[in-house]
């Protein structure tokens, strides 16, 4: 019970990695607010976890929705200890050369609005409550925050931006609130969506042969599922084991970059 009596808010907590984080936090004794744009996924999670969770439907791009998510979390559970910024979309590695100028411009706005602005607005909304509890924030980055080839230029740029954001927030919010990140690699069981601007609604993440790809790419020679990544978030959220950590981003990706030449 690493997180007994702790309260967390997880964006994108209705699916994939976010859902696995919710599950792990509940298992460790926390109560969790799930903020997701899919009401259906929230309903399923509430069915699965009962009164240990509360669901808030909304869009991370909107100031009011972020503020409402924090308010509903505190109204349900009395406080907030950990804010997990995790909701994100992908560009399905669409190359710049194959993208029309107008599409590129709209896709840039959409991708940065969800993957970066969503984190910034969520952090701003959570901050007053985290000051009260001397709490912390954890953000989902990606292997694409460190290496090329984990997406197209837009996704890779958003995830590099997340690392800069984490460092600046860690600097600005110290000594009151700690800010860290996890950089997972490919996630089995994810439903990671593409952009509307690039008409990627019909593409399914589950159609990617992730197991085969990861077997070839990774020194650890296999794909990892969302649950295997969730423990890193429990580590960062644990007040006993992670008191010195702020501004850290954990490469948690099956060893990408450890191949050498
Ligand atoms: P997922 O699609 O399974 O889960 C993301 C959730 O976020 C969904 O439930 C979705 O409804 C929600 N969401 C998306 N846009 C939203 C918005 N505007 N407002 C509110 N909710 C919104 O995807 P996932 O793979 O679990 O992705 C979670 C995070 O992990 C993302 O930040 C992603 O970039 C990162 N990541 C994923 C992979 C991967 O291989 N899937 C690898 C590295 C990093």
């Amino acid at each position: 019970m690493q997180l007994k009596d702790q309260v967390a808010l997880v964006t994108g907590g209705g699916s994939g990695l976010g859902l696995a984080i919710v599950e792990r936090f509940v298992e460790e004794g926390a109560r969790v607010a799930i903020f997701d744009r899919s009401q259906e996924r929230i309903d399923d999670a509430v069915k699965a976890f009962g009164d240990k969770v509360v669901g808030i439907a909304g869009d991370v791009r909107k100031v009011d929705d972020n503020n409402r998510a924090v308010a509903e979390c505190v109204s349900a559970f009395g406080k907030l200890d950990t804010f997990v910024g995790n909701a994100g979309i992908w560009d399905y590695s669409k190359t710049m050369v194959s993208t029309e100028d107008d599409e590129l411009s709209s896709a840039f706005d959409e991708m940065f609005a969800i993957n970066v602005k969503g984190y910034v607005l969520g952090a701003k909304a959570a901050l007053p409550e985290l000051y009260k509890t001397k709490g912390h924030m954890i953000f989902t980055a990606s292997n694409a925050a460190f290496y090329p080839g984990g997406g197209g230029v837009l996704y890779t740029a958003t995830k590099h931006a997340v690392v800069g954001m984490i460092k600046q927030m860690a600097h600005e919010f110290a000594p009151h609130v700690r800010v860290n990140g996890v950089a997972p690699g490919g996630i089995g069981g994810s439903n990671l969506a593409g952009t509307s601007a690039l008409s990627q609604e019909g593409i399914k993440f589950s159609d990617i042969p992730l197991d085969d790809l990861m077997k070839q790419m990774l020194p650890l020679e296999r794909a990892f599922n969302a649950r295997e990544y969730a423990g890193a978030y429990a580590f960062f959220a644990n007040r006993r084991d992670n008191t010195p950590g702020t501004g850290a981003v954990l490469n948690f990706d099956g060893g990408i970059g450890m191949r050498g030449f």
Side-chain angles (χ1 to χ4, degrees):
M1 287 293 216
Q2 291 185 71
L3 305 178
K4 193 167 175 328
D5 299 329
Q6 299 290 295
V7 175
L9 168 59
V10 181
T11 76
S15 169
L17 177 58
L19 184 60
I21 295 167
V22 172
E23 182 183 58
R24 180 62 184 266
F25 277 29
V26 167
E27 212 176 284
E28 297 290 350
R31 284 159 299 160
V32 186
I34 300 170
F35 176 23
D36 201 289
R37 67 178 167 186
S38 163
Q39 183 66 55
E40 198 185 335
R41 288 175 179 172
I42 288 174
D43 292 345
D44 288 347
V46 171
K47 232 180 259 165
F49 303 114
D51 63 3
K52 300 283 187 273
V53 303
V54 67
I56 304 104
D59 191 323
V60 295
R61 289 171 284 192
K62 297 187 179 155
V63 171
D64 289 353
D65 287 4
N66 281 285
N67 288 337
R68 185 166 49 81
V70 172
E72 289 190 23
C73 170
V74 173
S75 152
F77 300 132
K79 62 170 182 166
L80 177 63
D81 298 286
T82 304
F83 171 75
V84 181
N86 167 78
I89 58 169
W90 197 32
D91 58 9
Y92 277 84
S93 298
K94 182 94 158 76
T95 59
M96 279 182 73
V97 286
S98 68
T99 310
E100 298 297 330
D101 295 353
D102 287 349
E103 274 184 333
L104 186 66
S105 174
S106 328
F108 180 99
D109 292 344
E110 184 181 358
M111 183 73 65
F112 271 80
I114 296 181
N115 288 12
V116 184
K117 184 172 150 189
Y119 283 4
V120 173
L121 296 182
K124 180 74 165 72
L127 198 57
E129 293 301 328
L130 297 179
Y131 263 72
K132 290 181 199 165
T133 56
K134 274 192 110 33
H136 44 269
M137 303 181 183
I138 308 166
F139 293 98
T140 298
S142 167
N143 53 292
F146 295 92
Y147 310 106
V153 72
L154 298 183
Y155 184 74
T156 303
T158 64
K159 291 300 184 181
H160 274 64
V162 166
V163 174
M165 185 206 75
I166 288 167
K167 290 180 182 172
Q168 183 59 32
M169 286 185 184
H171 169 73
E172 187 178 325
F173 304 156
H176 309 286
V177 173
R178 290 177 297 106
V179 184
N180 295 295
V182 178
I187 301 171
S190 151
N191 295 301
L192 192 59
T195 62
S196 306
L198 298 174
S199 309
Q200 294 176 320
E201 291 96 339
I203 314 180
K204 282 195 177 146
F205 192 80
S206 54
D207 289 342
I208 297 173
L210 202 66
D211 286 334
D212 295 343
L213 272 174
M214 294 300 125
K215 201 168 177 184
Q216 289 164 29
M217 274 176 61
L218 298 182
L220 295 186
E221 293 183 349
R222 72 172 181 90
F224 298 90
N225 65 49
R227 284 185 173 141
E228 292 178 282
Y229 290 108
Y233 293 79
F235 161 72
F236 275 125
N238 180 338
R239 286 180 182 272
R240 194 188 63 184
D241 290 335
N242 186 36
T243 41
T246 197
V249 183
L250 179 66
N251 293 94
F252 209 51
D253 56 17
I256 299 175
M258 297 304 122
R259 272 267 194 251
F261 293 101

